[in-house]
Amino acid sequence: VIDVAAEGAGARDDERVGVIVRAARGGLVAGRFQRADDDVRGAPSMTLAAPVTAAQWWFADGDKAPGVNERFVLFNTADRDIEVAIVYLADGVEPGTARASVVVPAGRVTTVDSGTVSGLPEGPHGAVVSTLDGDELVVERVLTRYGDGSRVTSIAAGVPVRNDGLLPTSWWLPAGPSVPVERGLVVLNLDNVERTVTVSAFGADGEVTLGGLAEVVVAPAGRVDL
């Protein structure tokens, strides 16, 4: 365990810190635990580090609403400044009309507050974060919800586009909620044509398609909450 804010670590009292972990030999898995209590974040959070940098990152879920603060955190690991665009995908919004642009300095961390993006309506949305010149970076989404005098923050890593430009067509989740939840599964259509998805469960009888979730239609560049 490495304390980033410890004496001698070189990051004391910095507002935003990016960390690169490299193995001198062999492989490793890196994660982060942090506890925050400030104007933006609250409660502990645990997140895996990103194993790659990429020129494009996709996020299926996000939210803009009273009592919600959403920020994208952009970490430029390169040795030159890069220009980044965030395009939001939401119902009733023409793709490309709700967007933000920012220059991330070399070796620095920059944040974008979704609440300040013009043209982005209140409600759930997806997003894609892309560099404009093919340079690569790491992106996270930090979402804080306020209520009952408390703040709870969740941190989600985006899905990077592979070097061949492809994204996975199947996803597996090892466990689900034991009680009903809202927006328990969010699906984002990355194409400009209509697509269908099917959700199945795995149990004693093998793979079983869940009732009402066979061939769910997802609009072009649209999202659905299941």
Side-chain angles (χ1 to χ4, degrees), residues 7-185:
E7 190 75 35
R12 289 181 62 87
D13 301 323
D14 284 336
E15 181 179 359
R16 291 185 292 270
V17 176
V19 176
I20 301 175
V21 181
R22 292 191 176 97
R25 181 173 57 190
L28 60 89
V29 175
R32 176 191 58 216
F33 170 82
Q34 66 180 13
R35 183 183 292 107
D37 185 15
D38 54 32
D39 293 339
V40 178
R41 300 165 299 163
S45 64
M46 298 186 69
T47 317
L48 280 175
V52 297
T53 58
Q56 193 173 76
W57 294 82
W58 291 88
F59 295 83
D61 194 24
D63 200 6
K64 179 180 180 181
V68 175
N69 180 285
E70 179 188 76
R71 295 189 176 192
F72 285 96
V73 183
L74 318 174
F75 182 20
N76 180 4
T77 61
D79 56 3
R80 63 175 182 176
D81 298 354
I82 58 176
E83 190 173 355
V84 180
I86 303 176
V87 176
Y88 294 83
L89 305 172
D91 292 340
V93 177
E94 187 71 21
T97 57
R99 59 181 292 142
S101 298
V102 63
V103 174
V104 186
R108 306 296 291 180
V109 177
T110 299
T111 63
V112 175
D113 187 345
S114 298
T116 64
V117 176
S118 61
L120 180 62
E122 290 189 358
H125 54 253
V128 56
V129 182
S130 307
T131 64
L132 301 186
D133 51 13
D135 284 327
E136 298 183 347
L137 76 167
V138 175
V139 185
E140 291 181 333
R141 187 212 65 196
V142 181
L143 187 70
T144 301
R145 298 186 183 277
Y146 303 82
D148 300 326
S150 63
R151 296 179 299 277
V152 177
T153 297
S154 63
I155 301 176
V159 178
V161 173
R162 302 185 325 201
N163 291 335
D164 56 12
L166 299 178
L167 283 160
T169 57
S170 298
W171 292 83
W172 290 266
L173 299 171
S178 58
V179 296
V181 297
E182 294 183 359
R183 293 166 61 183
L185 182 64

Side-chain angles (χ1 to χ4, degrees), residues 202-221:
F202 290 83
D205 296 327
E207 182 178 357
V208 178
T209 300
L210 297 177
L213 297 182
E215 297 188 357
V216 177
V217 176
V218 188

